[in-house]
PDB file of all heavy atoms in Angstrom:
ATOM      1  N   GLN A  33      -0.139  14.683  -8.393  1.00  0.00           N
ATOM      2  CA  GLN A  33      -1.066  15.740  -8.702  1.00  0.00           C
ATOM      3  C   GLN A  33      -1.484  16.465  -7.438  1.00  0.00           C
ATOM      4  O   GLN A  33      -1.438  15.908  -6.326  1.00  0.00           O
ATOM      5  CB  GLN A  33      -2.376  15.177  -9.372  1.00  0.00           C
ATOM      6  CG  GLN A  33      -2.073  14.298 -10.542  1.00  0.00           C
ATOM      7  CD  GLN A  33      -3.248  13.547 -11.161  1.00  0.00           C
ATOM      8  OE1 GLN A  33      -4.357  13.676 -10.642  1.00  0.00           O
ATOM      9  NE2 GLN A  33      -3.023  12.744 -12.163  1.00  0.00           N
ATOM     10  N   TYR A  35      -4.707  18.818  -5.882  1.00  0.00           N
ATOM     11  CA  TYR A  35      -6.131  19.292  -6.002  1.00  0.00           C
ATOM     12  C   TYR A  35      -6.518  20.282  -4.930  1.00  0.00           C
ATOM     13  O   TYR A  35      -5.903  20.178  -3.833  1.00  0.00           O
ATOM     14  CB  TYR A  35      -7.052  18.006  -5.942  1.00  0.00           C
ATOM     15  CG  TYR A  35      -6.889  17.041  -7.055  1.00  0.00           C
ATOM     16  CD1 TYR A  35      -5.904  16.129  -7.026  1.00  0.00           C
ATOM     17  CD2 TYR A  35      -7.897  17.043  -8.078  1.00  0.00           C
ATOM     18  CE1 TYR A  35      -5.852  15.204  -8.157  1.00  0.00           C
ATOM     19  CE2 TYR A  35      -7.813  16.112  -9.068  1.00  0.00           C
ATOM     20  CZ  TYR A  35      -6.777  15.185  -9.085  1.00  0.00           C
ATOM     21  OH  TYR A  35      -6.627  14.300 -10.112  1.00  0.00           O
ATOM     22  N   GLN A  37     -10.024  21.570  -2.833  1.00  0.00           N
ATOM     23  CA  GLN A  37     -11.437  21.196  -2.580  1.00  0.00           C
ATOM     24  C   GLN A  37     -12.045  22.219  -1.797  1.00  0.00           C
ATOM     25  O   GLN A  37     -11.483  22.621  -0.668  1.00  0.00           O
ATOM     26  CB  GLN A  37     -11.526  19.821  -1.927  1.00  0.00           C
ATOM     27  CG  GLN A  37     -12.978  19.359  -1.747  1.00  0.00           C
ATOM     28  CD  GLN A  37     -13.011  17.942  -1.146  1.00  0.00           C
ATOM     29  OE1 GLN A  37     -12.062  17.481  -0.632  1.00  0.00           O
ATOM     30  NE2 GLN A  37     -14.205  17.290  -1.295  1.00  0.00           N
ATOM     31  N   THR A  48      -0.442  18.665 -12.555  1.00  0.00           N
ATOM     32  CA  THR A  48       0.183  17.357 -12.600  1.00  0.00           C
ATOM     33  C   THR A  48       1.691  17.509 -12.868  1.00  0.00           C
ATOM     34  O   THR A  48       2.049  18.267 -13.710  1.00  0.00           O
ATOM     35  CB  THR A  48      -0.356  16.475 -13.700  1.00  0.00           C
ATOM     36  OG1 THR A  48      -1.804  16.421 -13.451  1.00  0.00           O
ATOM     37  CG2 THR A  48       0.286  15.076 -13.737  1.00  0.00           C
ATOM     38  N   SER A  98      -3.864   3.435 -13.484  1.00  0.00           N
ATOM     39  CA  SER A  98      -4.645   4.610 -13.468  1.00  0.00           C
ATOM     40  C   SER A  98      -5.157   5.019 -12.083  1.00  0.00           C
ATOM     41  O   SER A  98      -5.873   6.034 -11.954  1.00  0.00           O
ATOM     42  CB  SER A  98      -5.886   4.406 -14.340  1.00  0.00           C
ATOM     43  OG  SER A  98      -6.668   3.400 -13.781  1.00  0.00           O
ATOM     44  N   ARG A  99      -4.828   4.384 -11.059  1.00  0.00           N
ATOM     45  CA  ARG A  99      -5.427   4.648  -9.725  1.00  0.00           C
ATOM     46  C   ARG A  99      -4.498   5.655  -9.028  1.00  0.00           C
ATOM     47  O   ARG A  99      -3.260   5.512  -9.018  1.00  0.00           O
ATOM     48  CB  ARG A  99      -5.506   3.401  -8.869  1.00  0.00           C
ATOM     49  CG  ARG A  99      -6.605   2.435  -9.336  1.00  0.00           C
ATOM     50  CD  ARG A  99      -6.493   1.106  -8.723  1.00  0.00           C
ATOM     51  NE  ARG A  99      -5.383   0.300  -9.172  1.00  0.00           N
ATOM     52  CZ  ARG A  99      -4.760  -0.633  -8.543  1.00  0.00           C
ATOM     53  NH1 ARG A  99      -5.139  -0.897  -7.266  1.00  0.00           N
ATOM     54  NH2 ARG A  99      -3.793  -1.301  -9.057  1.00  0.00           N
ATOM     55  N   LEU A 100      -5.146   6.560  -8.347  1.00  0.00           N
ATOM     56  CA  LEU A 100      -4.461   7.594  -7.495  1.00  0.00           C
ATOM     57  C   LEU A 100      -4.602   7.246  -6.029  1.00  0.00           C
ATOM     58  O   LEU A 100      -5.637   6.742  -5.526  1.00  0.00           O
ATOM     59  CB  LEU A 100      -5.017   8.911  -7.682  1.00  0.00           C
ATOM     60  CG  LEU A 100      -4.745   9.615  -9.011  1.00  0.00           C
ATOM     61  CD1 LEU A 100      -5.502  10.970  -9.064  1.00  0.00           C
ATOM     62  CD2 LEU A 100      -3.270   9.834  -9.247  1.00  0.00           C
TER      63      LEU A 100
ATOM     64  N   TYR B  33     -14.266   6.186 -11.317  1.00  0.00           N
ATOM     65  CA  TYR B  33     -13.815   5.715  -9.994  1.00  0.00           C
ATOM     66  C   TYR B  33     -14.936   6.140  -9.010  1.00  0.00           C
ATOM     67  O   TYR B  33     -15.578   7.179  -9.139  1.00  0.00           O
ATOM     68  CB  TYR B  33     -12.551   6.495  -9.521  1.00  0.00           C
ATOM     69  CG  TYR B  33     -11.417   6.314 -10.575  1.00  0.00           C
ATOM     70  CD1 TYR B  33     -11.297   7.118 -11.661  1.00  0.00           C
ATOM     71  CD2 TYR B  33     -10.451   5.334 -10.385  1.00  0.00           C
ATOM     72  CE1 TYR B  33     -10.335   7.042 -12.589  1.00  0.00           C
ATOM     73  CE2 TYR B  33      -9.383   5.234 -11.247  1.00  0.00           C
ATOM     74  CZ  TYR B  33      -9.326   6.011 -12.367  1.00  0.00           C
ATOM     75  OH  TYR B  33      -8.272   6.007 -13.318  1.00  0.00           O
ATOM     76  N   TYR B  35     -14.902   6.984  -4.871  1.00  0.00           N
ATOM     77  CA  TYR B  35     -14.171   7.205  -3.616  1.00  0.00           C
ATOM     78  C   TYR B  35     -15.066   7.494  -2.515  1.00  0.00           C
ATOM     79  O   TYR B  35     -16.210   8.054  -2.722  1.00  0.00           O
ATOM     80  CB  TYR B  35     -13.190   8.393  -3.783  1.00  0.00           C
ATOM     81  CG  TYR B  35     -11.949   8.066  -4.591  1.00  0.00           C
ATOM     82  CD1 TYR B  35     -11.891   8.117  -5.898  1.00  0.00           C
ATOM     83  CD2 TYR B  35     -10.735   7.708  -3.903  1.00  0.00           C
ATOM     84  CE1 TYR B  35     -10.704   7.933  -6.652  1.00  0.00           C
ATOM     85  CE2 TYR B  35      -9.547   7.463  -4.622  1.00  0.00           C
ATOM     86  CZ  TYR B  35      -9.555   7.546  -5.935  1.00  0.00           C
ATOM     87  OH  TYR B  35      -8.472   7.271  -6.724  1.00  0.00           O
ATOM     88  N   GLN B  37     -14.956   9.805   1.257  1.00  0.00           N
ATOM     89  CA  GLN B  37     -14.124  10.711   1.901  1.00  0.00           C
ATOM     90  C   GLN B  37     -14.605  10.879   3.366  1.00  0.00           C
ATOM     91  O   GLN B  37     -15.761  11.254   3.624  1.00  0.00           O
ATOM     92  CB  GLN B  37     -14.133  12.168   1.294  1.00  0.00           C
ATOM     93  CG  GLN B  37     -13.212  13.187   1.922  1.00  0.00           C
ATOM     94  CD  GLN B  37     -13.161  14.428   1.108  1.00  0.00           C
ATOM     95  OE1 GLN B  37     -14.099  14.930   0.617  1.00  0.00           O
ATOM     96  NE2 GLN B  37     -11.889  14.980   1.000  1.00  0.00           N
ATOM     97  N   TYR B  48     -13.374   0.768  -9.135  1.00  0.00           N
ATOM     98  CA  TYR B  48     -13.047   1.567 -10.338  1.00  0.00           C
ATOM     99  C   TYR B  48     -13.305   0.739 -11.529  1.00  0.00           C
ATOM    100  O   TYR B  48     -13.532  -0.452 -11.503  1.00  0.00           O
ATOM    101  CB  TYR B  48     -11.642   2.135 -10.272  1.00  0.00           C
ATOM    102  CG  TYR B  48     -10.526   1.104 -10.325  1.00  0.00           C
ATOM    103  CD1 TYR B  48      -9.849   0.841 -11.566  1.00  0.00           C
ATOM    104  CD2 TYR B  48     -10.127   0.407  -9.264  1.00  0.00           C
ATOM    105  CE1 TYR B  48      -8.839  -0.075 -11.599  1.00  0.00           C
ATOM    106  CE2 TYR B  48      -9.207  -0.536  -9.281  1.00  0.00           C
ATOM    107  CZ  TYR B  48      -8.524  -0.782 -10.482  1.00  0.00           C
ATOM    108  OH  TYR B  48      -7.463  -1.716 -10.514  1.00  0.00           O
ATOM    109  N   ARG B  94     -11.521  10.024 -15.789  1.00  0.00           N
ATOM    110  CA  ARG B  94     -10.292  10.564 -16.414  1.00  0.00           C
ATOM    111  C   ARG B  94     -10.224   9.984 -17.817  1.00  0.00           C
ATOM    112  O   ARG B  94     -10.688   8.916 -18.176  1.00  0.00           O
ATOM    113  CB  ARG B  94      -9.089  10.215 -15.632  1.00  0.00           C
ATOM    114  CG  ARG B  94      -8.827   8.789 -15.496  1.00  0.00           C
ATOM    115  CD  ARG B  94      -7.353   8.432 -15.213  1.00  0.00           C
ATOM    116  NE  ARG B  94      -6.645   8.477 -16.449  1.00  0.00           N
ATOM    117  CZ  ARG B  94      -5.559   7.748 -16.662  1.00  0.00           C
ATOM    118  NH1 ARG B  94      -5.130   6.922 -15.763  1.00  0.00           N
ATOM    119  NH2 ARG B  94      -4.870   7.782 -17.799  1.00  0.00           N
ATOM    120  N   TRP B 102      -2.300  13.610 -16.946  1.00  0.00           N
ATOM    121  CA  TRP B 102      -3.789  13.433 -16.845  1.00  0.00           C
ATOM    122  C   TRP B 102      -4.194  13.747 -15.438  1.00  0.00           C
ATOM    123  O   TRP B 102      -3.418  13.799 -14.500  1.00  0.00           O
ATOM    124  CB  TRP B 102      -4.192  11.998 -17.201  1.00  0.00           C
ATOM    125  CG  TRP B 102      -3.399  10.938 -16.415  1.00  0.00           C
ATOM    126  CD1 TRP B 102      -2.227  10.383 -16.831  1.00  0.00           C
ATOM    127  CD2 TRP B 102      -3.692  10.373 -15.097  1.00  0.00           C
ATOM    128  NE1 TRP B 102      -1.806   9.482 -15.845  1.00  0.00           N
ATOM    129  CE2 TRP B 102      -2.735   9.449 -14.830  1.00  0.00           C
ATOM    130  CE3 TRP B 102      -4.740  10.620 -14.222  1.00  0.00           C
ATOM    131  CZ2 TRP B 102      -2.695   8.723 -13.590  1.00  0.00           C
ATOM    132  CZ3 TRP B 102      -4.799   9.866 -13.043  1.00  0.00           C
ATOM    133  CH2 TRP B 102      -3.785   8.959 -12.726  1.00  0.00           C
ATOM    134  N   TYR B 104      -7.976  13.697 -12.646  1.00  0.00           N
ATOM    135  CA  TYR B 104      -9.361  13.261 -12.446  1.00  0.00           C
ATOM    136  C   TYR B 104     -10.356  14.524 -12.568  1.00  0.00           C
ATOM    137  O   TYR B 104      -9.910  15.586 -12.181  1.00  0.00           O
ATOM    138  CB  TYR B 104      -9.574  12.777 -10.988  1.00  0.00           C
ATOM    139  CG  TYR B 104      -9.048  11.393 -10.803  1.00  0.00           C
ATOM    140  CD1 TYR B 104      -8.349  10.604 -11.618  1.00  0.00           C
ATOM    141  CD2 TYR B 104      -9.305  10.828  -9.479  1.00  0.00           C
ATOM    142  CE1 TYR B 104      -7.800   9.353 -11.388  1.00  0.00           C
ATOM    143  CE2 TYR B 104      -8.864   9.545  -9.185  1.00  0.00           C
ATOM    144  CZ  TYR B 104      -8.226   8.852 -10.038  1.00  0.00           C
ATOM    145  OH  TYR B 104      -7.693   7.619  -9.770  1.00  0.00           O
TER     146      TYR B 104
END
Side-chain angles (χ1 to χ4, degrees):
Chain A
Q33 304 172 6
Y35 293 79
Q37 184 178 18
T48 300
S98 65
R99 289 169 286 156
L100 288 177
Chain B
Y33 308 83
Y35 283 85
Q37 187 174 38
Y48 65 102
R94 60 156 280 210
W102 53 269
Y104 286 4

